[in-house]
Amino acid sequence: MSPLPTYDSMIPEAGLRAALALDRPRIISEIGASGLKGRGGAGFPTAVKWNFAAAAQADKKFVICNADEGEPGTFKDRVILQEHADLVFEGMTVAGKAVGAHEGILFLRGEYTYLRGHLEAVLAGRRDRNLLGKGILGSGLDFDIRIFMGAGAYICGEETALIEALEGFRGEPRNRPPFPVNTGFLGRPSIVNNVETLAWAACILGRGADWFRSVGTEKSTGRKIFSVSGDCARPGVYEFPMGLTVAELLKEVGGEDAKAAQIGGAAGQCVPAKDFGRSIAFEDIPTGGSIIVLGPHRDMLDVLHNFLEFFVDESCGQCAPCRLGNTKLLEGLEMLRNGTCSMAYLKELCDLGGTMQVASKCGLGQSSPNAFLSVVENFREELMGRIPTHA
Amino acid sequence: MLMTERDRLASEIRSLAAKLGQDRTSLIPILLEVKRKYHTIDSYAMQVIADLLGIHPVEVNSVVSFYAFLGGHRQGKFVIRLCRTISCDMQGKSRVERQLENDLGIRFGETTPDGKFTLEFANCMGMCDQGPALLVNDRIHTRVTPEKVHEILEACRRVFGVHAAETKEVVFK
Ligand SMILES: Cc1cc2nc3c(=O)[nH]c(=O)nc-3n(C[C@H](O)[C@H](O)[C@H](O)COP(=O)(O)O)c2cc1C
Ligand code: SF4
Ligand code: FES
């Protein structure tokens, strides 16, 4: 397992101790000064989210850690939970103090059931050391964490679908607004944060905002954990500063000869070799950390086929642009593979993709045509007039 | 189903609800436990759960049918879920798929006639750097090759051996 330099060198509970000594607005302003943005993919500023929930009036509030990690090519949250669970729970506790919540919920995907025993043991250890429970470390803070198991649905990574599942419903995304920070779990203000975001929050409180923003770019501060798989010599989990170029990353992982890199998972974009000078950052190519390296011999249509089957399977089916759109794109892809797609129809498919991006209800439908559109744009010469080989 | 079996199921569900909570937020945790233990969630179980939580059985059914790990259909004691997503696909999941079908004599989506094994696909399970990956119930296997398939199945079959012995002991007591 690849080491994660920052997490490995953290002083345990430094972030929690610092947070216990600060008042709530100071915790949030420290996170704000660090520039931390959500590591789950969308890149929403963490301090802004926490501030909304802190400002909301309610009898109860919740801190929810999103460990549903289902984006194809992503496995860094699993490694963080296996190797650094304490840091994640520390971050949740810091968040609890910051927003005024007493209850934390770790939403763990069903596929990671084998991690549960370890995580429960870490939680029990924290209760024993009074890092969770009543009056944490002699402060006035009461906070505890429980684990909720997902039941196998990629869409539950979307924060409102996740909340639906917690409440005992089908994982169908809600309209937003209202946002979970106001009307979340059981109608109460809730922050939903990615596993990695919460671990960084603990590090930032422990070492200070300046330490965090000393690397990265102006708009994308700090470091990021990447999950690298596909056609490269050294797949695995890596920690890099934000803003590095695709080429730099590929060199580190031994994927220099790649023809493209799928960045951000199936929902992300397919970056062709000519664009490897671009940087991985919220202002250029954003990502939750999934990098799938596509070697010179890969057939882009095979890759797209796999992604579209994924979306057809995982669409919750609630809205038409996504439910029908992904099916149509998949059919169109099969036509391309069989060499029976006209250029006019390919244009229609691209228009459909554009419609899905604006008309779908949630991020799944909005992002599912991305890979299709970027392959059509960048690998056009591979697509048309195929002679089917697999008949 | 025999009356006694039904009673046993109902009392098991009641004690699950006592432990996990008796409101709607406990629905998925209860369903996961029922599925794990009985390998199916039949309409009777749904009715009992609905009554306990004070909701309509249709509500329970709509949740059961939504999630890949629930589902009312009967599954084998060992559910084998092979990752079919991109990185595992590029690392040779198709050959593993074929060998699983060959060794079990069923296709994906089916259960062996003896009720021991079910073959299913799953989407990315977070082992993309070590594919092809598959889950046997909760247990993850990585870098699976067609040759390893036999070993994995044999390990499952040995567990049945142990269970068979346990059942006999109970009978003799
Ligand atoms: C279809 C879909 C799947 C998602 N899956 C995940 C996920 O597995 N993990 C995650 O942290 N965020 C996921 N998200 C993003 C969440 O909705 C949410 O933005 C995130 O958990 C916020 O945390 P962050 O600000 O710390 O990144 C997903 C979003 C969509 C639309
Ligand atoms: S976009 Fe897709 S996943 Fe999202 S609500 Fe619509 S149908 Fe469901
Ligand atoms: S693609 Fe198979 S585990 Fe991720």
Side-chain angles (χ1 to χ4, degrees):
Chain A
M1 201 129 301
S2 354
L4 301 175
T6 305
Y7 293 170
D8 287 338
S9 64
M10 277 303 297
I11 300 169
E13 315 310 329
L16 177 59
R17 284 175 204 281
L20 291 177
L22 296 173
D23 62 8
R24 286 165 49 188
R26 278 282 295 133
I27 299 174
I28 297 179
S29 68
E30 191 69 19
I31 299 287
S34 77
L36 176 65
K37 288 182 177 169
R39 289 329 197 214
F44 191 80
T46 305
V48 175
K49 187 182 285 187
W50 289 17
N51 212 15
F52 281 131
Q57 298 291 328
D59 59 336
K60 267 190 193 172
K61 299 181 187 178
F62 297 96
V63 172
I64 299 167
C65 175
N66 188 343
D68 196 49
E69 183 161 69
E71 190 59 55
T74 316
F75 42 95
K76 47 121 189 150
D77 292 342
R78 170 181 58 77
V79 173
I80 296 170
L81 289 169
Q82 275 174 325
E83 311 279 311
H84 300 282
D86 267 304
L87 200 56
V88 178
F89 295 140
E90 185 185 341
M92 289 177 76
T93 313
V94 169
K97 165 137 191 198
V99 306
H102 303 297
E103 193 177 339
I105 303 169
L106 177 79
F107 187 100
L108 185 65
R109 66 186 303 216
E111 290 82 349
Y112 289 172
T113 300
Y114 57 89
L115 293 180
R116 184 168 187 178
H118 165 65
L119 294 172
E120 294 283 9
V122 173
L123 285 175
R126 294 184 73 80
R127 284 184 203 111
D128 288 346
R129 286 177 286 148
N130 193 218
L131 299 167
L132 284 177
K134 294 240 176 281
I136 292 175
L137 295 182
S139 73
L141 177 67
D142 299 343
F143 189 77
D144 212 329
I145 298 172
R146 66 183 168 94
I147 297 176
F148 184 97
M149 296 307 305
Y154 164 70
I155 190 59
C156 286
E158 197 281 337
E159 57 186 16
T160 60
L162 184 155
I163 289 170
E164 289 286 314
L166 285 179
E167 293 181 355
F169 293 89
R170 295 161 71 91
E172 291 173 347
R174 300 174 178 173
N175 281 317
R176 304 183 315 161
F179 293 97
V181 286
N182 292 309
T183 312
F185 180 49
L186 301 176
R188 308 303 204 295
S190 308
I191 53 168
V192 180
N193 275 125
N194 176 254
V195 171
E196 185 191 341
T197 310
L198 290 160
W200 284 122
C203 297
I204 289 165
L205 265 292
R207 292 194 182 175
D210 291 340
W211 162 80
F212 187 75
R213 53 179 318 135
S214 65
V215 294
T217 70
E218 185 61 29
K219 289 195 174 122
S220 308
T221 55
R223 296 166 193 277
K224 171 92 191 77
I225 315 292
F226 291 90
S227 319
V228 183
S229 65
D231 303 316
C232 60
R234 294 176 293 279
V237 170
Y238 289 83
E239 179 183 324
F240 293 122
M242 293 290 274
L244 90 164
T245 64
V246 181
E248 286 166 339
L249 185 144
L250 289 174
K251 186 156 177 284
E252 286 292 324
V253 307
E256 295 96 327
D257 66 343
K259 112 188 207 189
Q262 179 71 23
I263 300 185
Q269 47 180 308
C270 187
V271 180
K274 71 173 171 49
D275 292 338
F276 283 174
R278 289 177 61 188
S279 64
I280 302 175
F282 296 114
E283 63 272 26
D284 192 356
I285 307 174
T287 173
S290 164
I291 311 278
I292 301 165
V293 185
L294 302 170
H297 56 290
R298 286 295 162 198
D299 182 340
M300 299 313 287
L301 287 187
D302 289 347
V303 175
L304 272 188
H305 192 257
N306 192 288
F307 288 163
L308 287 169
E309 282 190 326
F310 172 79
F311 287 122
V312 167
D313 196 40
E314 296 289 357
S315 164
C316 84
Q318 208 186 164
C319 67
C322 169
R323 182 183 65 239
L324 304 175
N326 280 309
T327 314
K328 276 285 161 210
L329 289 184
L330 179 58
E331 281 169 20
L333 199 92
E334 273 155 10
M335 289 168 73
L336 283 168
R337 279 178 122 189
N338 293 330
T340 59
C341 185
S342 69
M343 193 54 103
Y345 191 62
L346 182 63
K347 285 215 175 75
E348 277 185 39
L349 289 172
C350 291
D351 288 346
L352 171 68
T355 306
M356 291 163 66
Q357 287 175 326
V358 294
S360 296
K361 181 168 173 178
C362 85
L364 189 150
Q366 290 158 8
S367 61
S368 57
N370 292 354
F372 185 92
L373 295 174
S374 42
V375 167
V376 172
E377 189 184 323
N378 294 305
F379 295 94
R380 198 169 275 263
E381 71 289 353
E382 279 188 33
L383 305 184
M384 310 309 285
R386 291 245 184 160
I387 312 290
T389 50
H390 56 279
Chain B
M1 202 190 279
L2 286 171
M3 207 52 214
T4 48
E5 274 180 58
R6 286 196 163 195
D7 291 344
R8 212 178 44 204
L9 176 64
S11 81
E12 177 111 21
I13 291 173
R14 274 194 296 275
S15 60
L16 271 176
K19 194 176 91 190
L20 298 170
Q22 208 146 324
D23 61 275
R24 179 101 197 208
T25 60
S26 308
L27 178 57
I28 292 175
I30 293 173
L31 290 171
L32 280 171
E33 281 299 308
V34 171
K35 182 82 182 194
R36 193 177 62 79
K37 179 133 196 218
Y38 292 93
H39 314 288
T40 178
I41 304 173
D42 63 14
S43 52
Y44 180 72
M46 291 193 225
Q47 178 70 58
V48 174
I49 293 168
D51 290 346
L52 276 169
L53 303 187
I55 53 180
H56 198 278
V58 165
E59 288 278 313
V60 180
N61 193 14
S62 89
V63 169
V64 166
S65 61
F66 187 84
Y67 294 98
F69 282 20
L70 300 175
H73 57 289
R74 179 170 288 282
Q75 289 179 320
K77 297 228 158 78
F78 289 97
V79 181
I80 300 178
R81 295 188 166 92
L82 176 66
C83 174
R84 67 170 154 202
T85 308
I86 186 75
S87 299
C88 289
D89 195 17
M90 300 200 304
Q91 291 172 95
K93 79 117 202 344
S94 297
R95 287 187 56 201
V96 176
E97 169 188 345
R98 210 186 166 94
Q99 198 54 40
L100 281 164
E101 291 184 335
N102 290 343
D103 284 3
L104 288 175
I106 53 170
R107 311 301 300 257
F108 269 72
E110 295 176 357
T111 298
T112 52
D114 61 6
K116 289 186 179 170
F117 294 97
T118 297
L119 285 180
E120 280 185 4
F121 285 116
N123 289 321
C124 180
M125 43 182 75
M127 280 292 174
C128 329
D129 56 337
Q130 303 164 52
L134 62 80
L135 279 168
V136 179
N137 294 345
D138 294 342
R139 189 140 173 238
I140 189 90
H141 294 263
T142 57
R143 299 199 173 91
V144 180
T145 58
E147 303 85 75
K148 270 201 204 161
V149 162
H150 178 71
E151 256 172 62
I152 292 171
L153 296 178
E154 279 307 302
C156 296
R157 292 197 175 103
R158 279 197 293 278
V159 173
F160 281 121
V162 176
H163 277 322
E166 274 172 7
T167 321
K168 259 188 205 135
E169 274 170 34
V170 175
V171 172
F172 276 112
K173 257 183 213 168

